[in-house]
Amino acid sequence: MTYLAPRQGLFAIILLVSFCLQTLLLVISTDQQLSNSRALKGEQMVAQLIDEARLSLENKDRVSLSVIANRYTSEQDVTRILIKDNNDDILVPVGNAPMQQGDTIRQIATNGDAVIGSVALTLKDVSKGEIIAMQWPFVIGTMLLHLLLWLIYGYLARPTKEQINALSRDIQELYRDQYRPVDQRGYDRELERQSTSQPASHLADSQVATDNTASAADDEMTNTRKFNVHNEVNEYLRTQQNQETGSDTDNLASASEGSEIADTDGVASQVTSHTSKLSATRSVDSVKVQIVFHDEFNMLERLAPAQRLPYLALCTQLLNQAVTELLRQPLLLGVSAMNEAHFEDNGASVVLKADNSHAKVALAGVMLAKLYLMLNKIIHDKHIELSRFALPAKAGVSDEAQSEPMTHLLQSIGKKEQLLILLPNAGLKQISNHVQVHNIMRPTTVYERECAIFDGANDSLIQRLADVRNAVLMIEDEDELHI
């Protein structure tokens, strides 16, 4: 007969409470994360909507405002957009917010110091059922895990046959002690039987004592023989060990030398394979400058092609002119560009090579990356003032062997208008007299530990970059005048 584990039902209730608490914590944490991300996204959308609709809001052009607002209501999280004029009169109501509850983000639209209206954007609340539906793999996996724990407990905690037998013996003894009939007549008969059987019991006891004495003597002789045999065996092993000590020592020495040689070869092979990408002594003949947009909400993908393509063309032209003007500097003599940059949605890259051993190609890559960040800062601020679309940028400089890790670093830890540097010692030596860097705090990977962040430059280098920046901007202005 198979018995269940003790208190298996109580353990099932505890597991059920644990499952409910884990699901509740999952829903709360997910709801908080979604609320924060939607709030940031809503503020970004409201600011962009005000920039696009400022002219139509001044003229109270309801048609243009409706077209602009309808583009934003196509977002899944947006339920209603309400645009009012400076008199708090509703100009454009778009969406179906009365049917759904959500958070409303309001912002006043201004033109200089004058208030021209306001925009209210309502974001849909994410229901708890939708969160559970999104996290169904975790919920089902947790439920299966708790069910597995319940089955394991029921199998491991059930009593064994030995425990069941011991329990049954204890119950029988307890039953006999409690329900054994005790009376005076039975007590007298028991005394009489003991008195009549006493002589026979004395004879039996004497016989048993004699047998015990004989068996004890035999055991003592056996133990003595065993003790003597063990002593002889130990003595023989001790003499054999003394004779073979020399040969064993030689064998162990040769084996240890072989293992050390094998370990050294293994470590050397591991070091060789690891230093193929992370080598502090690797030479720097070329560097790759990667420039990507800092686009947290993927606004570039949602931009219309009529606006995205001219913006990318402007960034491409700006980068190519920066490369041309920078490589004319006498400090970077012997450095040339191997490709012509072209901006896509994921950014652009420029490969610089050293034509001779004296060319400072690493310094050229850092200067080019910093120069473009300075130019992009100016273009970005100017576009925002004119209510046009623009994005901040971030850059990374590395040699060819570490270009792919630099791409991952820009995506994972890169911040807005930040310059990351991943170069061996030869490249760091080229920039050490001109640039200051600092390491990443609390790195989690090998490449994060080797990566450095641009922290500043000396006065002469900053002045050179400012002169090249002004030259590029003058060329840009002349091109716009010719157009």
Side-chain angles (χ1 to χ4, degrees):
M1 182 177 180
T2 303
Y3 292 89
L4 297 177
R7 298 184 179 181
Q8 193 169 1
L10 180 61
F11 187 73
I13 294 174
I14 294 174
L15 290 179
L16 181 61
V17 173
S18 174
F19 171 75
C20 294
L21 289 177
Q22 287 187 8
T23 306
L24 179 62
L25 293 176
L26 172 67
V27 171
I28 293 174
S29 61
T30 306
D31 187 23
Q32 185 178 5
Q33 293 177 0
L34 291 177
S35 299
N36 294 334
S37 63
R38 286 190 297 109
L40 294 176
K41 181 180 178 182
E43 292 176 0
Q44 182 76 14
M45 294 175 67
V46 169
Q48 187 173 353
L49 176 60
I50 291 175
D51 292 337
E52 293 182 6
R54 184 173 281 112
L55 182 60
S56 300
L57 192 58
E58 288 180 345
N59 300 327
K60 297 183 179 181
D61 187 0
R62 298 175 183 268
V63 177
S64 300
L65 291 175
S66 299
V67 172
I68 295 172
N70 283 325
R71 276 208 322 265
Y72 289 88
T73 54
S74 61
E75 293 288 335
Q76 184 179 3
D77 297 332
V78 179
T79 60
R80 190 184 185 190
I81 295 177
L82 191 65
I83 302 177
K84 298 181 181 180
D85 58 4
N86 54 355
N87 296 324
D88 206 22
D89 295 329
I90 298 176
L91 296 178
V92 175
V94 180
N96 54 352
M99 303 299 295
Q100 297 179 352
Q101 298 295 328
D103 298 329
T104 301
I105 300 174
R106 293 182 176 87
Q107 188 171 347
I108 298 175
T110 58
N111 188 6
D113 296 332
V115 177
I116 60 176
S118 63
V119 175
L121 185 143
T122 303
L123 297 174
K124 181 180 66 174
D125 278 340
V126 180
S127 65
K128 305 300 184 293
E130 292 178 356
I131 294 176
I132 295 176
M134 287 189 299
Q135 301 290 341
W136 67 267
F138 178 84
V139 175
I140 294 177
T142 306
M143 182 177 63
L144 294 177
L145 177 61
H146 284 77
L147 180 60
L148 181 62
L149 290 176
W150 183 73
L151 294 176
I152 292 174
Y153 172 78
Y155 178 77
L156 295 179
R158 63 186 180 182
T160 60
K161 291 183 179 180
E162 292 78 9
Q163 293 175 345
I164 294 172
N165 294 331
L167 182 62
S168 64
R169 287 194 298 269
D170 294 339
I171 293 174
Q172 290 176 2
E173 291 176 0
L174 180 62
Y175 180 82
R176 286 197 301 268
D177 292 339
Q178 289 181 353
Y179 297 97
R180 184 173 60 183
V182 178
D183 56 356
Q184 187 65 30
R185 289 178 296 176
Y187 180 76
D188 294 338
R189 285 195 297 269
E190 185 69 18
L191 288 177
E192 184 178 358
R193 283 197 302 270
Q194 289 180 0
S195 61
T196 55
S197 60
Q198 186 174 4
S201 63
H202 280 301
L203 292 175
D205 292 338
S206 61
Q207 184 66 29
V208 169
T210 303
D211 295 336
N212 291 335
T213 303
S215 63
D218 294 338
D219 293 337
E220 185 176 358
M221 293 177 65
T222 304
N223 293 332
T224 304
R225 286 197 299 270
K226 289 181 179 179
F227 179 76
N228 294 333
V229 170
H230 284 304
N231 288 337
E232 292 175 359
V233 171
N234 291 333
E235 187 67 26
Y236 173 77
L237 292 176
R238 202 175 295 113
T239 55
Q240 293 294 327
Q241 185 177 5
N242 292 330
Q243 292 176 2
E244 295 177 359
T245 301
S247 60
D248 291 341
T249 304
D250 297 336
N251 294 332
L252 289 173
S254 61
S256 62
E257 291 177 357
S259 62
E260 288 179 357
I261 294 173
D263 293 340
T264 305
D265 294 338
V267 171
S269 62
Q270 291 179 0
V271 170
T272 304
S273 62
H274 185 64
T275 54
S276 60
K277 287 189 176 181
L278 289 174
S279 177
T281 59
R282 187 174 58 253
S283 62
V284 181
D285 298 328
S286 63
V287 296
K288 186 175 183 180
V289 181
Q290 303 181 46
I291 300 171
V292 296
F293 295 113
H294 186 74
D295 191 3
E296 295 179 335
F297 304 106
N298 296 326
M299 302 301 295
L300 188 61
E301 297 179 357
R302 302 172 184 173
L303 196 65
Q307 296 180 355
R308 183 174 71 253
L309 296 179
Y311 177 70
L312 295 177
L314 173 64
C315 294
T316 301
Q317 183 179 3
L318 197 67
L319 179 57
N320 289 326
Q321 290 176 356
V323 173
T324 303
E325 292 294 326
L326 182 66
L327 296 183
R328 292 177 180 174
Q329 296 293 316
L331 180 63
L332 305 180
L333 186 65
V335 180
S336 59
M338 298 181 63
N339 67 322
E340 184 176 357
H342 183 71
F343 266 91
E344 300 291 344
D345 292 347
N346 55 354
S349 61
V350 179
V351 179
L352 303 177
K353 69 172 182 178
D355 297 332
N356 52 62
S357 59
H358 302 287
K360 300 180 179 180
V361 65
L363 180 61
V366 173
M367 292 178 66
L368 176 60
K370 185 59 180 176
L371 174 62
Y372 185 81
L373 291 179
M374 295 166 62
L375 292 170
N376 189 80
K377 175 66 175 175
I378 296 174
I379 298 300
H380 177 264
D381 294 343
K382 187 65 175 179
H383 277 65
I384 296 300
E385 290 179 3
L386 299 176
S387 301
R388 295 181 181 178
F389 176 82
L391 287 173
K394 51 189 176 182
V397 180
S398 64
D399 54 349
E400 287 291 337
Q402 296 177 341
S403 60
E404 185 176 354
M406 175 54 70
T407 304
H408 295 297
L409 289 174
L410 288 173
Q411 295 175 356
S412 60
I413 65 172
K415 298 181 181 179
K416 180 172 63 175
E417 298 176 2
Q418 193 177 65
L419 173 56
L420 304 180
I421 302 172
L422 187 60
L423 295 171
N425 287 342
L428 295 176
K429 186 177 180 180
Q430 290 184 14
I431 67 175
S432 60
N433 296 328
H434 305 276
V435 175
Q436 292 83 35
V437 297
H438 68 272
N439 295 327
I440 298 175
M441 299 298 294
R442 293 183 294 274
T444 57
T445 62
V446 178
Y447 294 109
E448 290 182 8
R449 188 179 69 245
E450 298 294 331
C451 182
I453 301 176
F454 182 88
D455 199 18
N458 55 22
D459 296 337
S460 62
L461 186 65
I462 293 296
Q463 186 61 42
R464 290 175 185 270
L465 292 176
D467 295 340
V468 178
R469 178 197 60 189
N470 296 334
V472 173
L473 292 177
M474 290 179 62
I475 294 175
E476 191 72 22
D477 294 338
E478 291 177 0
D479 293 340
E480 291 180 356
L481 292 176
H482 289 307
I483 293 175

PDB file of all heavy atoms in Angstrom, residues 289-293 316 319 341-344 346-350:
ATOM      1  N   VAL A 289      35.597  54.515 -37.824  1.00  0.00           N
ATOM      2  CA  VAL A 289      34.786  55.476 -37.083  1.00  0.00           C
ATOM      3  C   VAL A 289      33.326  55.177 -37.381  1.00  0.00           C
ATOM      4  O   VAL A 289      32.894  55.245 -38.527  1.00  0.00           O
ATOM      5  CB  VAL A 289      35.144  56.922 -37.465  1.00  0.00           C
ATOM      6  CG1 VAL A 289      34.305  57.907 -36.672  1.00  0.00           C
ATOM      7  CG2 VAL A 289      36.625  57.184 -37.254  1.00  0.00           C
ATOM      8  N   GLN A 290      32.583  54.809 -36.353  1.00  0.00           N
ATOM      9  CA  GLN A 290      31.160  54.494 -36.495  1.00  0.00           C
ATOM     10  C   GLN A 290      30.331  55.589 -35.837  1.00  0.00           C
ATOM     11  O   GLN A 290      30.573  55.945 -34.693  1.00  0.00           O
ATOM     12  CB  GLN A 290      30.830  53.149 -35.853  1.00  0.00           C
ATOM     13  CG  GLN A 290      31.634  51.983 -36.410  1.00  0.00           C
ATOM     14  CD  GLN A 290      31.249  50.676 -35.770  1.00  0.00           C
ATOM     15  OE1 GLN A 290      30.062  50.370 -35.616  1.00  0.00           O
ATOM     16  NE2 GLN A 290      32.239  49.879 -35.400  1.00  0.00           N
ATOM     17  N   ILE A 291      29.357  56.092 -36.586  1.00  0.00           N
ATOM     18  CA  ILE A 291      28.465  57.147 -36.095  1.00  0.00           C
ATOM     19  C   ILE A 291      27.041  56.643 -36.226  1.00  0.00           C
ATOM     20  O   ILE A 291      26.619  56.228 -37.312  1.00  0.00           O
ATOM     21  CB  ILE A 291      28.657  58.454 -36.887  1.00  0.00           C
ATOM     22  CG1 ILE A 291      30.106  58.939 -36.754  1.00  0.00           C
ATOM     23  CG2 ILE A 291      27.685  59.521 -36.404  1.00  0.00           C
ATOM     24  CD1 ILE A 291      30.454  60.081 -37.669  1.00  0.00           C
ATOM     25  N   VAL A 292      26.318  56.636 -35.123  1.00  0.00           N
ATOM     26  CA  VAL A 292      24.927  56.165 -35.121  1.00  0.00           C
ATOM     27  C   VAL A 292      24.056  57.241 -34.487  1.00  0.00           C
ATOM     28  O   VAL A 292      24.524  58.087 -33.719  1.00  0.00           O
ATOM     29  CB  VAL A 292      24.785  54.838 -34.343  1.00  0.00           C
ATOM     30  CG1 VAL A 292      25.572  53.729 -35.016  1.00  0.00           C
ATOM     31  CG2 VAL A 292      25.245  54.999 -32.909  1.00  0.00           C
ATOM     32  N   PHE A 293      22.769  57.195 -34.825  1.00  0.00           N
ATOM     33  CA  PHE A 293      21.809  58.127 -34.250  1.00  0.00           C
ATOM     34  C   PHE A 293      21.366  57.633 -32.877  1.00  0.00           C
ATOM     35  O   PHE A 293      21.195  56.435 -32.665  1.00  0.00           O
ATOM     36  CB  PHE A 293      20.591  58.279 -35.159  1.00  0.00           C
ATOM     37  CG  PHE A 293      20.904  58.912 -36.487  1.00  0.00           C
ATOM     38  CD1 PHE A 293      20.789  58.180 -37.661  1.00  0.00           C
ATOM     39  CD2 PHE A 293      21.306  60.226 -36.569  1.00  0.00           C
ATOM     40  CE1 PHE A 293      21.073  58.748 -38.878  1.00  0.00           C
ATOM     41  CE2 PHE A 293      21.593  60.808 -37.784  1.00  0.00           C
ATOM     42  CZ  PHE A 293      21.486  60.063 -38.948  1.00  0.00           C
ATOM     43  N   THR A 316      25.075  62.826 -44.562  1.00  0.00           N
ATOM     44  CA  THR A 316      26.136  62.253 -45.392  1.00  0.00           C
ATOM     45  C   THR A 316      27.060  63.335 -45.930  1.00  0.00           C
ATOM     46  O   THR A 316      28.293  63.218 -45.892  1.00  0.00           O
ATOM     47  CB  THR A 316      25.509  61.466 -46.550  1.00  0.00           C
ATOM     48  OG1 THR A 316      24.678  60.432 -46.011  1.00  0.00           O
ATOM     49  CG2 THR A 316      26.581  60.858 -47.428  1.00  0.00           C
ATOM     50  N   LEU A 319      29.279  64.731 -43.145  1.00  0.00           N
ATOM     51  CA  LEU A 319      30.360  63.832 -42.733  1.00  0.00           C
ATOM     52  C   LEU A 319      31.479  63.791 -43.771  1.00  0.00           C
ATOM     53  O   LEU A 319      32.664  63.829 -43.429  1.00  0.00           O
ATOM     54  CB  LEU A 319      29.801  62.434 -42.488  1.00  0.00           C
ATOM     55  CG  LEU A 319      30.809  61.362 -42.064  1.00  0.00           C
ATOM     56  CD1 LEU A 319      31.540  61.767 -40.807  1.00  0.00           C
ATOM     57  CD2 LEU A 319      30.116  60.021 -41.856  1.00  0.00           C
ATOM     58  N   ALA A 341      31.607  57.875 -46.927  1.00  0.00           N
ATOM     59  CA  ALA A 341      30.538  57.585 -45.965  1.00  0.00           C
ATOM     60  C   ALA A 341      29.173  57.810 -46.594  1.00  0.00           C
ATOM     61  O   ALA A 341      28.993  58.654 -47.483  1.00  0.00           O
ATOM     62  CB  ALA A 341      30.690  58.469 -44.733  1.00  0.00           C
ATOM     63  N   HIS A 342      28.210  57.038 -46.114  1.00  0.00           N
ATOM     64  CA  HIS A 342      26.825  57.175 -46.567  1.00  0.00           C
ATOM     65  C   HIS A 342      25.913  56.801 -45.405  1.00  0.00           C
ATOM     66  O   HIS A 342      25.998  55.687 -44.883  1.00  0.00           O
ATOM     67  CB  HIS A 342      26.545  56.273 -47.773  1.00  0.00           C
ATOM     68  CG  HIS A 342      25.156  56.427 -48.311  1.00  0.00           C
ATOM     69  ND1 HIS A 342      24.749  57.565 -48.980  1.00  0.00           N
ATOM     70  CD2 HIS A 342      24.067  55.609 -48.248  1.00  0.00           C
ATOM     71  CE1 HIS A 342      23.481  57.433 -49.332  1.00  0.00           C
ATOM     72  NE2 HIS A 342      23.033  56.246 -48.897  1.00  0.00           N
ATOM     73  N   PHE A 343      25.070  57.724 -44.983  1.00  0.00           N
ATOM     74  CA  PHE A 343      24.199  57.494 -43.836  1.00  0.00           C
ATOM     75  C   PHE A 343      22.992  56.669 -44.227  1.00  0.00           C
ATOM     76  O   PHE A 343      22.338  56.911 -45.250  1.00  0.00           O
ATOM     77  CB  PHE A 343      23.725  58.830 -43.250  1.00  0.00           C
ATOM     78  CG  PHE A 343      24.592  59.320 -42.125  1.00  0.00           C
ATOM     79  CD1 PHE A 343      25.668  60.163 -42.380  1.00  0.00           C
ATOM     80  CD2 PHE A 343      24.340  58.935 -40.830  1.00  0.00           C
ATOM     81  CE1 PHE A 343      26.459  60.615 -41.343  1.00  0.00           C
ATOM     82  CE2 PHE A 343      25.133  59.374 -39.793  1.00  0.00           C
ATOM     83  CZ  PHE A 343      26.198  60.218 -40.048  1.00  0.00           C
ATOM     84  N   GLU A 344      22.717  55.663 -43.406  1.00  0.00           N
ATOM     85  CA  GLU A 344      21.481  54.879 -43.488  1.00  0.00           C
ATOM     86  C   GLU A 344      20.726  55.061 -42.169  1.00  0.00           C
ATOM     87  O   GLU A 344      21.100  55.889 -41.336  1.00  0.00           O
ATOM     88  CB  GLU A 344      21.802  53.394 -43.727  1.00  0.00           C
ATOM     89  CG  GLU A 344      22.571  53.124 -45.008  1.00  0.00           C
ATOM     90  CD  GLU A 344      21.737  53.366 -46.264  1.00  0.00           C
ATOM     91  OE1 GLU A 344      20.498  53.442 -46.133  1.00  0.00           O
ATOM     92  OE2 GLU A 344      22.324  53.495 -47.352  1.00  0.00           O
ATOM     93  N   ASN A 346      20.695  53.072 -39.717  1.00  0.00           N
ATOM     94  CA  ASN A 346      21.518  52.633 -38.591  1.00  0.00           C
ATOM     95  C   ASN A 346      22.815  53.423 -38.453  1.00  0.00           C
ATOM     96  O   ASN A 346      23.665  53.076 -37.644  1.00  0.00           O
ATOM     97  CB  ASN A 346      21.843  51.151 -38.730  1.00  0.00           C
ATOM     98  CG  ASN A 346      22.505  50.825 -40.056  1.00  0.00           C
ATOM     99  OD1 ASN A 346      22.625  51.690 -40.916  1.00  0.00           O
ATOM    100  ND2 ASN A 346      22.935  49.595 -40.227  1.00  0.00           N
ATOM    101  N   GLY A 347      23.009  54.489 -39.252  1.00  0.00           N
ATOM    102  CA  GLY A 347      24.187  55.324 -39.118  1.00  0.00           C
ATOM    103  C   GLY A 347      25.133  55.188 -40.296  1.00  0.00           C
ATOM    104  O   GLY A 347      24.757  54.749 -41.384  1.00  0.00           O
ATOM    105  N   ALA A 348      26.393  55.577 -40.069  1.00  0.00           N
ATOM    106  CA  ALA A 348      27.417  55.540 -41.120  1.00  0.00           C
ATOM    107  C   ALA A 348      28.758  55.199 -40.494  1.00  0.00           C
ATOM    108  O   ALA A 348      28.936  55.271 -39.267  1.00  0.00           O
ATOM    109  CB  ALA A 348      27.493  56.880 -41.855  1.00  0.00           C
ATOM    110  N   SER A 349      29.715  54.821 -41.345  1.00  0.00           N
ATOM    111  CA  SER A 349      31.058  54.467 -40.868  1.00  0.00           C
ATOM    112  C   SER A 349      32.093  54.955 -41.873  1.00  0.00           C
ATOM    113  O   SER A 349      31.834  54.983 -43.084  1.00  0.00           O
ATOM    114  CB  SER A 349      31.193  52.953 -40.661  1.00  0.00           C
ATOM    115  OG  SER A 349      30.994  52.271 -41.883  1.00  0.00           O
ATOM    116  N   VAL A 350      33.257  55.312 -41.351  1.00  0.00           N
ATOM    117  CA  VAL A 350      34.383  55.776 -42.171  1.00  0.00           C
ATOM    118  C   VAL A 350      35.617  54.989 -41.733  1.00  0.00           C
ATOM    119  O   VAL A 350      35.888  54.866 -40.537  1.00  0.00           O
ATOM    120  CB  VAL A 350      34.617  57.288 -42.000  1.00  0.00           C
ATOM    121  CG1 VAL A 350      35.820  57.736 -42.838  1.00  0.00           C
ATOM    122  CG2 VAL A 350      33.385  58.076 -42.388  1.00  0.00           C
TER     123      VAL A 350
END
